[in-house]
Amino acid sequence: MWRRNAAGELDYHMYFQSHDPGQSGCSQWGHTVSHDLVHWKRMPRTPIRGSSGGGLALPPSFIPPPALAGAKAITINSAPTSPSLKPAVGLHLWYSTDDALLNWTEYRDPASVQSSTNQTCV
C-alpha cells in the first residue's frame, strides 16, 4: 500500500509473513518501506499474526465508524487457528492510526464476528 508522508512524498509500505529463525509459534507480519520501490528499509514487525489477508490505505476523506476514528489503514487477516465452521469465523480486523503505519491495533467489537475460539498465537 502507499501513503503520502508528512513531507508530501509517497511512501510505499509492504507487509509480508515473517517467521524469523528461533521464533516460535505462527508467522508475524513484517513491514518494509520504500520511497522509490527499489530501496527498502525494514521496519519493526507488526503485532499481526496469522495468515495474511488484504490491506488498504485509507484516503484522507474516509470517515470511519466512531470505533475506528483516526484510522489511516486497515487490514483483515485470518486467525492462526480457525476451526472450519459455517458461517466462516476467525477473521480479524486490524487498524493503524499513525501516519507511518507502524502501530496496529486489533479491532474488537462484541457485536461483530470474532474468532469462535478466541485463540491467538504465542
Side-chain angles (χ1 to χ4, degrees), residues 1-3 11-15 55-57 73-75 101 104:
M1 70 179 69
W2 61 269
R3 290 193 42 80
D11 281 339
Y12 299 93
H13 297 262
M14 180 173 56
Y15 296 90
L56 58 121
I74 58 173
T75 186
L101 305 179
W104 291 84

Side-chain angles (χ1 to χ4, degrees), residues 18-89:
S18 170
H19 194 90
D20 293 340
Q23 177 185 344
S24 63
C26 63
S27 299
Q28 195 168 0
W29 284 18
H31 178 197
T32 60
V33 176
S34 174
H35 303 294
D36 59 11
L37 296 175
V38 175
H39 304 93
W40 292 86
K41 178 181 177 186
R42 188 156 184 182
M43 307 304 284
R45 285 188 292 171
T46 72
I48 302 171
R49 294 178 180 263
S51 297
S52 59
L56 58 121
L58 301 171
S61 60
F62 176 74
I63 300 173
L68 295 176
K72 309 287 187 210
I74 58 173
T75 186
I76 298 172
N77 78 310
S78 61
T81 52
S82 295
S84 182
L85 299 175
K86 294 184 187 313
V89 295

